[in-house]
Amino acid sequence: MGNATDHLWMHFTRMASYREGEVPTIVRGEGAYVWDAQGRRYLDGLAGLFVVNAGHGRTELADAAAKQASELAFFPLWSYAHPTAVELAERIAALTPGDLNRIFFTTGGSEAVEAAWKLARAYYKRVGKPTKHKVVSRYIAYHGTSMGALSITGLPGIKSDFEPLVPGGIKVPNTNFYRAPEHGDDVEAFGRWAADEIARAIEREGPETVAAVFLEPVQNSGGCFPPPPGYFQRVREICDEYDVLLVSDEVICAWGRLGEYFGAVRYGYQPDIITTAKGLTSGYSPLGAMIATDRLMEPFLAETGVFAHGVTFGGHPVSCAVALANLDIFAREDLTGHVRANEAAFRATLEKLNDLPIVGEVRGDGYFYGIELVKDKQTRATFDDDESERLLRGFLSTALFQAGLYCRADDRGDPVVQLAPPLIAGQEQFDEMEQILRAVLAEAWQRL
């Protein structure tokens, strides 16, 4: 095997940081663990990238792919169908809340978000409201990297190189209660305020110009912000009041990550569109989906109606076959139930880290957690750019990995360590995470 840096252009990677050292090369996975080319074992504390929900080494998923590829490797969904796509669409529709019955397949999450924005625009043109085209999303939220999805994304650092972006992206506050600018003593009042900020943004822009609100059930970037109680119920009211579509971006939050098939079910709200990908196949083959209500498809069922959008590999026969086998595993092993049964233990184990001076807050739900790191527990003071650079990039990411834990140390927002293990993980893995984090975070504190 050649050197990874010779020809491979890695994603979101400082290529210069590998001038001296070797690129970590992962060659095998089994259960909640992966192994590198040197034979070292790591706990996969991020399920790859919030993806490998059923765990590594599931030969039945590989077998499903091989069987399908030998029968029908590829055929497009452009005016034609194939059995695995038909069956998977039916299976997904049976799991979604309400009348989210129309499944538009993509290859991944950014494409699903792109499709949702295009559908929102096209829908309103067809129902006589052609000026509704803008989208509201939250500050620091990540919704993907294609130009439309990037315009919905609220992270200035990953947008500046690519501006100007698609016009019409409007940003509102996120639900980071730990750093609440208002109502820092009352989580419900804070949630109401954050939701009402969406109404104020729609008013400022003009309701006749706003098509959709894109929200993750638990916001990922910034470090796992769960919704305050009542937040989504109020957002739903606002969307109904202004005739704006509520898009639940569940690229991460679906497929058991929060203990339900969909995050919207976990928090009890009804979206107009769900975007999803990642865990749908547990990563064994790429697949995403934009799931819409019957109402949104209605205008496209007219005689000459066409949603003029598609991608070559959307709903790929092999990926759909893998997704069906993956959902069989979910049903047979009750993986969503496993998460619900173990989430309190996961939380309690991570909360042991609260005795460390560097740990400001442990937050999340299901198997999806962020640990916010601070310079001062009392004042909640965070690190400056130079300290973040030394702490996260210079030390933490590498030290955690060398100690046997693959996770994410991130400062999109405030410095945070993120954990989202495969859904098969249990107490043994929780303890392992806590022990490695304790040792490495204690050392990080000494280095400050």
Side-chain angles (χ1 to χ4, degrees), residues 305-325:
V306 173
F307 181 41
H309 176 57
V311 287
T312 301
F313 289 131
H316 192 286
V318 174
S319 296
C320 289
V322 170
L324 287 165

Side-chain angles (χ1 to χ4, degrees), residues 58-74 84 281 283-286 316-326:
R58 295 275 193 172
T59 50
E60 71 184 270
L61 298 185
D63 292 344
K67 182 172 182 287
Q68 180 58 46
S70 63
E71 285 171 15
L72 177 69
F74 177 74
T84 54
T281 62
Y284 284 66
S285 193
H316 192 286
V318 174
S319 296
C320 289
V322 170
L324 287 165
N326 183 52

Side-chain angles (χ1 to χ4, degrees), residues 131-381:
T131 60
K132 284 174 96 69
H133 69 277
K134 297 173 187 170
V135 287
V136 177
S137 60
R138 294 183 290 210
Y139 182 56
I140 306 182
Y142 177 87
H143 291 283
T145 50
S146 52
M147 292 301 265
L150 190 58
S151 307
I152 300 171
T153 290
L155 291 159
I158 65 167
K159 297 165 76 157
S160 53
D161 273 355
F162 311 107
E163 290 172 327
L165 296 171
V166 181
I170 305 153
K171 301 298 172 282
V172 295
N174 55 49
T175 59
N176 182 358
F177 185 57
Y178 184 66
R179 302 208 173 273
E182 313 232 349
H183 306 292
D185 55 346
D186 181 342
V187 71
E188 288 193 34
F190 169 69
R192 176 82 187 202
W193 169 82
D196 285 342
E197 282 295 302
I198 294 171
R200 284 190 273 276
I202 292 170
E203 285 284 355
R204 279 196 302 274
E205 296 291 328
E208 71 287 351
T209 70
V210 180
V213 176
F214 279 71
L215 303 171
E216 297 162 278
V218 173
Q219 183 178 321
N220 171 39
S221 280
C224 297
F225 307 138
Y231 172 80
F232 273 110
Q233 288 64 33
R234 176 66 187 133
V235 173
R236 180 71 266 178
E237 285 174 7
I238 291 164
C239 290
D240 290 342
E241 184 184 342
Y242 293 110
D243 186 21
V244 168
L245 304 181
L246 174 53
V247 183
S248 190
D249 184 354
E250 307 211 11
V251 171
I252 290 174
C253 289
W255 315 117
R257 181 56 54 198
L258 299 172
E260 299 284 353
Y261 280 102
F262 295 99
V265 175
R266 164 85 191 230
Y267 300 119
Y269 64 95
Q270 181 59 53
D272 300 293
I273 298 174
I274 288 176
T275 53
T276 190
K278 293 191 187 286
L280 173 54
T281 62
S282 286
Y284 284 66
S285 193
L287 186 65
M290 188 261 301
I291 308 167
T293 58
D294 292 328
R295 169 175 78 103
L296 296 182
M297 190 167 189
E298 195 68 25
F300 301 96
L301 297 175
E303 285 307 303
T304 55
V306 173
F307 181 41
H309 176 57
V311 287
T312 301
F313 289 131
H316 192 286
V318 174
S319 296
C320 289
V322 170
L324 287 165
N326 183 52
L327 292 177
D328 286 344
I329 290 172
F330 266 75
R332 189 175 70 235
E333 299 183 12
D334 187 20
L335 289 182
T336 55
H338 179 78
V339 171
R340 289 195 303 274
N342 287 279
E343 66 174 345
F346 187 30
R347 178 190 290 268
T349 306
L350 293 179
E351 281 180 343
K352 290 181 183 174
L353 297 167
N354 276 324
D355 65 353
L356 295 173
I358 198 170
V359 172
E361 185 182 39
V362 175
R363 57 176 175 255
D365 271 329
Y367 272 26
F368 190 29
Y369 273 83
I371 299 169
E372 183 161 336
L373 308 179
V374 291
K375 204 157 50 170
D376 186 317
K377 258 176 142 66
Q378 268 52 57
T379 63
R380 302 185 181 184

